[in-house]
Amino acid sequence: MLRIVPYPHPALRHESRPVIEIDDSLRAIVREMFTLMYASNGIGLAANQVGIPLRFFVLNLTADAERADQEQVFINPEIIKRHSSEENEEGCLSFPGLYGKVRRARKIKVRAYDLQGNPIEIDADDLLGRAIQHETDHLDGKLFIDYLGDLTKMKTTSAKIQEIEAGFRAAQAEGIYPSDDEIRRQLAGMTSA
Ligand code: ZN
């Protein structure tokens, strides 16, 4: 069973490897990721947020499990164009309860593969563009807190991050997660879904 891992689980700083084959195992992970995402009212979830070091993410901007027609899967995504920028508020399922303003490209062009293995190319702006940039960052081990600026000057934000980190360390002490070193070994050893 997969779970959404909170910061600072080492998978979140791991640079994920490309997906080589879209098989039943990958499709099962995708299904489970959508279920976890809906349970947390999220609109996007990257594979390394459930501890899988592969380059794909799922999106449903409606956050509504009943709207399966709005589900999108991006495999091996590449943002090939970025145009101008704008700031907007973001959150992340690996940082429950934390929100912050992040500057990102206003319009992007992304290339990826869908779950059927078909190449897709999408021009995206607004929420879709922002979500794609946020999730693609995850696959490179990049997090939205990296954009928030000097955290030492942001008391509420840094207190919230410390609270999330303390939660992860407590779960680790209870044996829910292995040690950071063990997690890193597991991430390095996973070669396929
Ligand atoms: Zn996120």
Side-chain angles (χ1 to χ4, degrees):
M1 202 194 76
L2 300 173
R3 66 171 82 230
I4 298 175
V5 301
Y7 179 80
H9 188 289
L12 298 173
R13 287 299 187 191
H14 189 83
E15 198 175 322
S16 296
R17 287 185 295 283
V19 172
I20 292 165
E21 202 189 346
I22 300 167
D23 54 12
D24 285 348
S25 146
L26 188 99
R27 281 185 281 268
I29 293 168
V30 164
R31 212 48 260 156
E32 208 172 331
M33 283 170 62
F34 274 119
T35 304
L36 288 168
M37 186 184 86
Y38 295 133
S40 302
N41 293 310
I43 61 166
L45 188 63
N48 55 326
Q49 288 183 279
V50 296
I52 306 286
L54 291 173
R55 299 188 75 84
F56 70 95
F57 61 82
V58 302
L59 282 188
N60 184 338
L61 298 186
T62 70
D64 183 351
E66 313 266 281
R67 298 294 308 277
D69 60 308
Q70 297 299 306
E71 291 181 351
Q72 287 177 283
V73 182
F74 290 78
I75 297 169
N76 299 342
E78 269 181 280
I79 296 171
I80 52 171
K81 270 186 199 167
R82 298 173 193 263
H83 183 69
S84 75
S85 77
E86 67 187 355
E87 204 174 57
N88 220 324
E89 191 161 83
E90 280 184 25
C92 178
L93 292 178
S94 293
F95 293 85
L98 182 71
Y99 300 91
K101 289 218 160 151
V102 177
R103 178 162 290 280
R104 295 198 188 269
R106 195 165 62 79
K107 281 185 179 176
I108 58 160
K109 189 187 280 288
V110 62
R111 259 185 212 153
Y113 291 89
D114 67 16
L115 200 53
Q116 285 70 47
N118 303 311
I120 48 174
E121 192 171 292
I122 295 174
D123 292 298
D125 58 6
D126 293 327
L127 186 58
L128 178 62
R130 181 164 291 271
I132 291 170
Q133 291 174 77
H134 177 114
E135 301 307 333
T136 303
D137 267 358
H138 270 302
L139 305 180
D140 293 321
K142 224 168 164 191
L143 298 167
F144 87 117
I145 57 165
D146 302 344
Y147 297 93
L148 297 181
D150 186 355
L151 294 173
T152 59
K153 289 179 185 157
M154 305 165 81
K155 283 212 168 70
T156 322
T157 301
S158 52
K160 188 76 206 171
I161 294 171
Q162 278 168 28
E163 184 191 316
I164 294 164
E165 174 157 9
F168 174 68
R169 295 300 173 206
Q172 215 168 18
E174 284 170 41
I176 295 169
Y177 300 101
S179 70
D180 283 11
D181 282 348
E182 178 55 28
I183 293 170
R184 286 196 193 96
R185 266 195 296 275
Q186 288 175 0
L187 289 167
M190 281 186 216
T191 51
S192 72

